[in-house]
Amino acid sequence: MAALANDWQEALSAEFSKDYYRQLYLKIREEYNEHRVYPPSGDLFNALHLTPLHNVKAVILGQDPYFNEGQAHGLCFSVKEGVEPPPSLKNIYKEIHDDLGLPIPETGDLTPWAKQGVLLLNTVLTVRAGQPNSHRGLGWEQFTDAVIRKVDEQDRPIVFLLWGSPAQKKQALLRNPKHLVLTASHPSPLSVYRGFEGCRHFSKTNRFLEENGIEPIDWRIGQ
């Protein structure tokens, strides 16, 4: 697995020496050796590489990576340049359009958000090809809970966008009253109509950041 090179390395150093992480490391290495696993190992920690802890303004939580060839690259909801945006991402784009009036992008690569301080974190960081949730329960959840706690500990206002019940369960980890927590249904076509449509989370995030003297996020992609 790719090593961390920014301030996440120090923030998470205690996790790397714990028994669960050593077992996770061995299991994931075996999975990459014996199966097709996404994302590519070099992209595994892209969410942390592209969004250092001290830069985090907002957190969007996903579940596990896309399981089809060429999609996953270490950022939740994001796909590599040139890959058709999946349905959930299309619904996210539609909400941004309805909320902020921005054009709907053709690309699904959310790297520009990550570079502005949006931590695009899946709660499970790997998956076998064609087998959704195949790496659930291996230990990633404990690791990403530690990531969430480190963000929660930051002494500055941060927005957490929790879409769908698995992400909303992580609200129990959030104790810092400085932060804003926004919840809605998942943007999947199966649940988008249950509250994600019209949630206005993108304008609410920027309003909160601006009210606290923080530069808002430019939600445009590929423009």
Side-chain angles (χ1 to χ4, degrees):
M1 294 190 284
L4 295 177
N6 56 25
D7 56 358
W8 282 112
Q9 175 65 41
E10 181 178 355
L12 298 171
S13 60
E15 299 303 307
F16 300 134
S17 61
K18 292 180 179 179
D19 286 344
Y20 89 87
Y21 190 85
R22 286 195 288 264
Q23 294 171 17
L24 171 64
Y25 177 86
L26 293 174
K27 182 61 177 176
I28 295 302
R29 187 173 66 178
E30 177 183 318
E31 285 285 304
Y32 273 106
N33 287 337
E34 297 184 2
H35 304 276
R36 183 173 295 178
V37 173
Y38 302 132
S41 59
D43 291 340
L44 183 56
F45 289 130
N46 270 354
L48 304 179
H49 288 151
L50 291 169
T51 313
L53 178 57
H54 71 275
N55 281 349
V56 176
K57 297 179 182 179
V59 180
I60 296 177
L61 291 180
Q63 297 179 36
D64 65 338
Y66 296 121
F67 53 85
N68 291 324
E69 176 70 30
Q71 290 183 312
H73 65 128
L75 304 177
C76 74
F77 293 106
S78 181
V79 291
K80 293 180 180 180
E81 187 70 35
V83 176
E84 174 77 11
S88 292
L89 182 53
K90 288 182 177 179
N91 285 332
I92 292 170
Y93 284 166
K94 182 178 184 299
E95 178 60 26
I96 292 174
H97 171 74
D98 294 346
D99 187 9
L100 300 173
L102 298 178
I104 294 178
E106 295 182 2
T107 177
D109 186 351
L110 303 182
T111 297
W113 292 359
K115 289 182 175 179
Q116 291 181 77
V118 182
L119 181 63
L120 297 166
L121 182 69
N122 279 312
T123 54
V124 174
L125 299 188
T126 54
V127 67
R128 279 191 195 178
Q131 299 181 42
N133 294 316
S134 49
H135 285 176
R136 178 188 292 171
L138 295 184
W140 281 129
E141 294 91 343
Q142 188 169 344
F143 179 76
T144 54
D145 279 0
V147 172
I148 294 167
R149 289 191 181 96
K150 287 298 178 182
V151 177
D152 185 56
E153 291 170 5
Q154 299 305 295
D155 189 27
R156 64 183 190 278
I158 294 170
V159 185
F160 290 82
L161 298 94
L162 309 180
W163 300 332
S165 57
Q168 289 171 24
K169 289 177 182 177
K170 302 301 181 182
Q171 191 168 354
L173 303 173
L174 307 178
R175 308 288 179 84
N176 193 330
K178 290 190 174 184
H179 303 327
L180 174 66
V181 179
L182 300 174
T183 63
S185 65
H186 195 275
S188 160
L190 297 176
S191 58
V192 65
Y193 61 91
R194 296 177 185 165
F196 185 83
E197 285 182 341
C199 69
R200 302 293 189 262
H201 279 186
F202 304 96
S203 61
K204 290 176 181 178
T205 294
N206 279 355
R207 188 177 308 116
F208 177 79
L209 294 175
E210 290 178 310
E211 288 172 351
N212 286 279
I214 301 169
E215 184 177 357
I217 295 156
D218 183 355
W219 295 105
R220 289 175 295 181
I221 292 289
Q223 302 299 319

